[in-house]
């Protein structure tokens, strides 16, 4: 708000001095209500075309037995797709897997990300270098690292993970990582955490840099040790950042797709299926597009609901 | 002045591409999508020999070859067709033809080709039948093949074994000597429990997937013989005789075979050109599928060629399709492991003296095709999942197959 009122106020205060220069360009722009929209138009139209329109269309599709081939007719079936999705054991399995993935990777990313942020915050030499190194996985392509992880966790005795772990004596025999449900999850979780740590670290680091040093000095004088300072000064002051990171990571966790699709393809037996990989399978493999659209909307509803509850919860505790 | 120049340049820029299109106006470029393997000589044969041959004989028709990896092809094709960006022609796995025909995207050749009868009479009836859906024929066979038993001579010799097993019982007896070579050496391997892998075992044990009319799976998929086939596979995988690649995600079967890790496998004629190109010192040994109570029955593979509705130029596409049925095309492709579908050609000297086609032709006498039905992809998923449950010891063969049969029954009742 303050920024806006300043802009409005400026021409009135400086008419005599600025005179001709400021008036024709700036003065009557503010009378035309549509001008801001003109500036928004390029971005907004792309947003409408590529985001809002497909979303709306997808919602429409979710009420049909949708046929994709030209010339076939799609039949309106009301809520039938939603009913069938909620009745589908594989949907529930994929939802359970998605929730588990989200819990594991969000905790992993936040704890390790925060720990790294605290460490990097204290490093004085080559701070930028460390920051860049930890951030690197974030900017790499999901597709590329998914394939890399597939190679690392090859079931062959000469696969990197198998080789190193057997040489170290941590494994007695090479593991067929991809064909067992549990070990397949280990790969997917590890990838999810490794790739996300850098992002939460950078956000936490920014928050840490905003905490005045005096607070730590005061706490130290009051007799707080390292752990005490972390708990009583750092954590409370980065609360809002923590909330932001939590919400963003949870939303991201629910949208896990590429790594699962590329590493296990949902197998064995749909046991590593997550909601989006299952949606993709039903829509693009079986051509059940109405069904897939219904799955997407159910997932979207869940994510919106969770974010809403989180926001409310944090606002409440903030007010206390 | 500057502005005028700019306008002229812009105007030219707009005209030139249009002019370029005009220039090739009388010609047409057909898109031919296929899964000829890019790392094997078959794709090279198509691109450097056969297509130029066709283009020379048909001025004005150009053919653009677009290769895809097998695993992605069906889905890419489906989505492209839905978006109206499909090819003019495609080489389809015989098992996909009924599905695409049911979707209404293929031209019924028996209706639009005046010389259809003649072309159809020149090919094997079995492969031809995989193009039939609802009384019409939506393609012509391009190549045929089957899987035979390939054994690794080095490993067999090291294990002191004389030769390939004639029966499944003999195969089982070969496990011990092979395992004696080392824990990470396996008697046999395959990449999963999909139809292409398990059907030879099911049929050779005397089992089946559905009744001959493809109306139900109960009584066939869960019959005593099919159960016995799965119990055999489970026993072999669990005892370490067959490789854990059956559970998916393991070592590539061909790679393990060529690198003396897998002593045997079932595979097709294309392995010979691959060996020649990548493992020149390796000598593939081929024999018939080991026989069980149901005989020595392998699975028929192969591809069809079909023309799509909405082709840029249907007549030109049909002309290319005719070319693929010619003796020239069929013989050239046979040189690179794509066995011909024309019985008349087998009389040719080339096949009479061929080093490896003999065993495939013999196996084809009894080989059977996967269920030709539009819902095959879904049936196969059910089949494959049941196989995984059994091989992982999470369900008995009877339990898993009872449940799978029931699922396939309802699938067949519902239709696509």
């Amino acid at each position: 708000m303050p920024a806006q009122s300043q802009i409005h106020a400026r021409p009135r205060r400086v008419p005599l001095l600025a005179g001709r220069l400021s008036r024709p360009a700036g003065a009557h722009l503010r009378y035309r209500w549509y001008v801001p929209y003109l500036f928004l138009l390029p971005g907004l139209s792309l947003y409408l075309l590529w985001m809002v329109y497909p979303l709306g269309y997808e919602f429409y599709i979710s009420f049909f037995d949708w046929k994709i081939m030209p010339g076939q007719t799609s039949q309106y079936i009301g809520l039938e797709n939603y009913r069938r999705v909620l009745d589908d054991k594989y949907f529930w399995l994929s939802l359970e897997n998605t929730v588990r993935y989200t819990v594991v990777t969000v905790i992993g990313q936040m704890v390790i990300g925060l720990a790294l942020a605290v460490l990097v915050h204290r490093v004085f030499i080559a701070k930028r270098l460390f920051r860049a190194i930890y951030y690197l996985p974030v900017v790499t392509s999901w597709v590329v690292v998914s394939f890399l992880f597939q190679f690392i966790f090859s079931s062959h005795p000469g696969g990197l993970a198998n080789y190193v772990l057997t040489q170290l004596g941590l494994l007695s025999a090479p593991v067929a990582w991809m064909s067992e449900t549990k070990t397949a999850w280990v790969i997917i979780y590890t990838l999810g955490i490794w790739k996300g740590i850098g992002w939460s670290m950078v956000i936490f680091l920014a928050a840490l840099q905003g905490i005045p040093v005096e607070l730590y000095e005061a706490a130290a004088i009051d007799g707080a040790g390292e752990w005490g300072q972390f708990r009583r000064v750092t954590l409370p002051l980065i609360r809002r950042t923590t909330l932001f990171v939590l919400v963003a990571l949870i939303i991201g966790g629910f949208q896990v797709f590429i790594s699962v699709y590329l590493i296990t393809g949902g197998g064995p037996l749909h046991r590593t299926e997550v909601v989006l990989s299952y949606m993709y399978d039903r829509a693009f493999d079986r051509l059940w597009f109405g069904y897939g659209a219904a799955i997407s909307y159910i997932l979207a509803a869940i994510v919106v609901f969770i974010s809403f509850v989180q926001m409310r919860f944090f606002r409440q505790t903030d007010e206390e | 002045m500057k502005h005028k120049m700019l306008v002229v340049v812009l105007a030219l820029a707009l005209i030139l591409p249009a002019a370029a299109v005009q220039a090739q106006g009388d010609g047409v470029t057909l898109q031919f999508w296929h899964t000829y393997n890019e790392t094997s000589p078959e794709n090279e044969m198509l691109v450097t020999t056969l297509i130029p041959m066709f283009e020379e004989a048909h001025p004005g028709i150009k053919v653009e070859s677009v290769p895809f990896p097998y695993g992605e092809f069906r889905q890419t094709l489906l989505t492209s067709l839905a978006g109206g960006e499909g090819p003019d022609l495609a080489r389809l796995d015989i098992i996909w033809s009924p599905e695409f025909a049911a979707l209404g995207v293929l031209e019924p050749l028996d209706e639009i080709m005046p010389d259809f009868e003649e072309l159809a009479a020149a090919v094997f009836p079995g492969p031809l039948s995989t193009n039939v859906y609802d009384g019409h024929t939506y393609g012509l066979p391009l190549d045929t093949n089957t899987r035979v038993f390939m054994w690794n001579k080095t490993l067999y010799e090291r294990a002191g074994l004389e030769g390939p097993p004639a029966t499944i019982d003999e195969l089982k007896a070969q496990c011990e000597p092979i395992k004696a070579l080392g824990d990470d050496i396996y008697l046999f391997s395959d990449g999963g429990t999909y139809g292409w892998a398990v059907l030879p075992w099911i049929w050779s044990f005397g089992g089946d997937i559905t009744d001959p009319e493809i109306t139900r799976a109960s009584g066939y998929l869960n019959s005593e013989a099919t159960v016995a086939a799965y119990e055999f596979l489970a026993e072999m995988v669990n005892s370490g005789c067959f490789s854990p690649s059956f559970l998916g995600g393991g070592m590539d079967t061909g790679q393990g075979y060529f690198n003396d890790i897998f002593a045997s496998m079932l595979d097709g004629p294309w392995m010979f050109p691959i060996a020649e190109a990548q493992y020149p010192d390796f000598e593939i040994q081929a024999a018939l599928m080991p026989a069980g109570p149901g005989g020595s029955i392998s699975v028929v593979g192969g591809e069809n060629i079909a023309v799509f509705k909405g082709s840029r130029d249907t007549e030109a596409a049909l002309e290319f399709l005719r070319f693929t049925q010619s003796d020239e095309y069929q013989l050239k492709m046979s040189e690179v492991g794509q066995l011909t579908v024309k019985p008349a050609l087998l009389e040719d000297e080339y096949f009479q003296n061929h080093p490896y086609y003999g065993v495939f032709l013999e196996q084809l006498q009894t080989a059977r095709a996967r269920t030709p039905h539009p819902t095959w992809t879904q049936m196969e998923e059910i089949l494959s999942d049941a196989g995984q449950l059994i091989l992982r010891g999470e369900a008995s063969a009877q339990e898993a197959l009872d449940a799978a049969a029931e699922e396939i029954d309802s699938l067949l009742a519902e239709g696509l």
Side-chain angles (χ1 to χ4, degrees):
Chain A
M1 274 302 119
Q4 235 174 13
S5 52
Q6 265 169 19
I7 293 165
H8 282 267
R10 194 170 289 150
R12 269 184 227 150
R13 275 194 215 153
V14 287
L16 289 175
L17 287 173
R20 275 189 51 175
L21 277 177
S22 69
R23 254 182 102 169
H28 47 289
L29 273 185
R30 65 192 160 106
Y31 294 112
R32 300 190 185 162
W33 62 270
Y34 55 82
V35 169
Y37 295 98
L38 281 180
F39 284 100
L40 281 175
L41 194 63
L44 192 65
S45 51
L46 286 178
Y47 179 74
L48 288 174
L49 183 65
W50 297 114
M51 299 293 290
V52 176
Y53 170 71
L55 278 175
Y57 201 68
E58 190 188 0
F59 192 57
Y60 175 75
I61 285 176
S62 73
F63 297 104
F64 284 82
D65 177 16
W66 193 259
K67 300 276 195 253
I68 57 157
M69 289 303 159
Q72 290 180 315
T73 42
S74 305
Q75 198 192 344
Y76 175 78
I77 51 169
L79 291 170
E80 183 62 16
N81 280 327
Y82 290 90
R83 197 193 58 74
R84 278 174 54 211
V85 170
L86 295 177
D87 221 25
D88 182 343
K89 63 175 179 186
Y90 289 128
F91 169 74
W92 289 106
L93 176 66
S94 66
L95 184 62
E96 190 190 317
N97 285 339
T98 309
V99 171
R100 201 174 294 133
Y101 173 88
T102 306
V103 170
V104 172
T105 57
V106 168
I107 292 176
Q109 289 173 80
M110 289 188 70
V111 171
I112 304 176
L114 180 58
L116 282 181
V118 171
L119 287 178
V120 172
H121 186 51
R122 293 187 165 201
V123 168
F124 287 99
I125 306 153
K127 191 174 191 161
R128 280 189 188 175
L129 179 71
F130 282 110
R131 211 167 50 189
I133 289 172
Y134 291 125
Y135 197 72
L136 208 57
V138 181
V139 292
T140 54
S141 141
W142 271 106
V143 177
V144 172
V145 293
S146 294
F147 281 128
L148 267 179
F149 268 61
Q150 228 179 1
F151 283 121
I152 293 172
F153 290 95
S154 149
S155 47
H156 192 265
L160 185 63
N162 272 340
Y163 182 77
V164 171
L165 293 176
T166 43
Q167 289 294 311
L168 291 175
L170 294 172
L171 284 181
S172 53
V175 172
W177 297 93
M178 240 67 87
S179 51
E180 288 298 326
T181 317
K182 278 185 194 147
T183 48
W185 278 125
V186 171
I187 309 170
I188 295 168
Y189 289 161
T190 314
L191 174 57
I193 294 172
W194 171 78
K195 194 154 178 347
I197 287 172
W199 182 81
S200 55
M201 178 208 70
V202 164
I203 308 283
F204 278 127
L205 195 59
L208 291 179
Q209 284 164 347
I211 302 176
V213 192
E214 294 82 2
L215 292 179
Y216 289 107
E217 288 166 355
I221 291 167
D222 287 342
E226 288 282 335
W227 176 242
Q229 288 181 22
F230 179 74
R231 264 194 57 205
R232 314 243 170 218
V233 180
T234 312
L235 279 185
L237 285 170
I238 60 166
R239 257 181 70 90
R240 300 216 62 89
T241 308
T242 312
L243 168 69
F244 167 70
V245 172
L246 184 68
V247 172
L249 287 183
I250 287 180
I251 292 174
F254 269 90
Q255 293 178 337
V256 57
F257 171 64
I258 300 173
S259 55
V260 173
Y261 181 71
L262 290 179
I263 292 176
T264 67
L269 291 161
H270 289 296
R271 281 176 192 169
T272 58
E273 205 85 76
V274 290
V275 176
L276 285 186
S277 66
Y278 188 58
M279 180 276 287
Y280 186 84
D281 179 75
R282 296 291 114 148
F284 290 91
D285 199 67
R286 293 217 172 166
L287 306 183
W288 297 357
F289 278 90
Y291 197 82
I295 293 179
S296 309
Y297 264 91
I298 292 172
L299 178 69
I302 294 170
V303 171
V304 168
F305 176 75
I306 290 175
S307 313
F308 179 75
V309 169
Q310 278 177 323
M311 296 291 191
R312 280 299 283 270
F313 174 74
F314 266 83
R315 196 175 304 149
Q316 244 170 33
T317 49
D318 253 11
E319 281 160 5
E320 272 165 21
Chain B
M1 223 11 233
K2 255 188 185 170
H3 281 290
K4 271 187 189 161
M5 280 296 284
L6 193 69
V7 170
V8 171
V9 168
L10 277 177
L12 276 176
L14 287 172
I15 288 166
L16 282 176
V21 170
Q22 276 291 309
Q24 46 165 234
D26 352 338
V28 60
T29 302
L30 298 173
Q31 285 214 357
F32 175 40
W33 292 13
H34 58 80
T35 52
Y36 282 122
N37 192 334
E38 271 195 290
T39 56
S40 105
E42 57 198 43
N43 190 51
E44 206 185 313
M45 178 64 84
L46 175 75
V47 178
T48 61
T49 309
L50 292 168
I51 288 180
M53 204 191 271
F54 173 79
E55 289 177 343
E56 204 177 316
H58 299 84
I61 309 180
K62 291 237 170 287
V63 179
E64 189 188 336
S65 144
V66 188
F68 289 88
Y70 179 87
E72 291 163 23
F73 189 53
R74 177 180 158 270
Q75 215 178 74
T76 311
L77 189 53
L78 284 171
T79 14
S80 308
L81 289 166
E85 295 288 330
D88 300 276
L89 301 118
R91 173 180 183 257
L92 301 172
D93 187 321
I94 52 171
I95 214 62
W96 297 332
S97 285
E99 187 182 1
F100 282 94
L103 283 170
V105 293
L106 302 180
E107 290 281 9
L109 299 186
D110 51 351
E111 286 200 328
I112 65 165
M113 282 182 97
D115 51 343
F116 174 78
E117 291 302 325
E118 201 181 309
L119 290 167
V123 296
F124 283 116
L128 178 68
S129 72
T130 60
N131 290 287
V132 178
Y133 172 73
D134 218 7
H136 287 289
T137 308
Y138 291 87
L140 281 168
L142 202 50
D143 49 74
T144 186
N145 59 61
T146 185
R147 307 179 87 194
V148 299
F149 186 84
M150 296 182 181
W151 49 288
N152 179 311
K153 205 173 171 184
T154 317
L155 287 177
Y156 265 64
E157 272 170 8
R158 268 169 55 198
L161 291 168
E162 302 220 326
T167 64
I168 293 178
D169 286 336
E170 282 179 41
L171 175 69
K172 208 168 160 180
Q174 293 186 338
C175 178
E176 213 177 309
I178 292 286
K179 286 315 278 182
L181 299 176
D183 259 354
D184 47 356
I185 309 274
Y186 296 92
L187 171 62
F188 180 88
S189 181
D190 216 328
T193 48
Y194 37 80
W196 183 244
V198 296
L199 281 168
W201 302 102
I202 294 177
W203 288 327
S204 297
F205 267 88
D208 216 330
I209 307 293
T210 66
D211 59 331
E213 290 75 36
I214 320 178
T215 55
R216 64 203 172 88
S218 287
Y220 296 87
L221 183 57
N222 53 356
S223 69
E224 208 175 303
T226 315
V227 169
Y230 276 98
E231 279 172 349
F232 167 77
L233 289 176
E235 186 198 332
M236 296 308 269
V237 170
N238 292 330
S239 60
C241 292
F242 286 12
S243 99
S245 297
F246 267 95
L247 304 179
M251 180 180 226
D252 179 69
T253 307
Q255 220 172 44
Y257 173 76
F258 288 127
N259 289 301
D260 303 337
I261 292 169
F262 301 146
S264 64
M265 63 176 179
L266 290 175
D267 226 318
W270 51 83
M271 289 317 273
F272 288 87
I274 287 179
E276 207 175 297
Q278 296 176 18
Y279 302 89
D281 298 330
F282 194 95
E283 236 181 277
I284 296 181
Q285 306 293 323
L288 293 180
M289 163 83 196
S296 156
I297 302 181
S298 188
V299 58
V300 174
E303 272 82 14
N304 294 323
I305 183 162
V307 173
F308 287 83
K309 283 185 178 158
S311 160
R312 273 151 278 241
D313 187 339
T314 310
E315 279 313 312
L318 289 175
E319 204 45 51
F320 186 73
L321 182 134
R322 282 186 191 100
F323 173 64
T324 65
Q325 304 296 306
S326 68
D327 289 0
E328 280 162 310
Y329 190 98
Q330 291 285 315
L331 278 174
K332 280 283 175 207
M333 274 299 180
S334 294
E335 283 173 24
V336 285
Q338 301 290 314
L339 188 53
T340 181
V341 288
K342 298 176 83 173
L345 284 183
L346 297 178
E347 309 295 319
D348 195 289
E349 212 178 316
Y350 175 77
F351 286 98
Q352 295 299 322
N353 306 319
H354 197 272
Y356 59 79
Y357 275 138
V359 61
F360 290 96
L361 293 169
E362 194 180 342
Q363 189 78 68
L364 274 170
Q365 308 266 332
T366 55
R368 296 176 52 185
R370 287 158 287 175
T371 320
H373 195 270
T375 60
W376 166 253
T377 316
Q378 293 177 44
M379 281 169 62
E380 188 175 31
E381 195 183 314
I382 297 168
L383 191 72
S384 179
D385 284 359
Q388 289 297 317
L389 287 174
I390 298 166
L391 263 48
R392 287 157 191 269
E394 293 176 23
S396 75
Q398 190 71 56
E399 276 166 19
L401 294 173
D402 280 344
E406 203 177 305
E407 256 186 280
I408 293 180
D409 281 350
S410 62
L411 189 68
L412 290 173
E414 275 171 37
L416 186 67

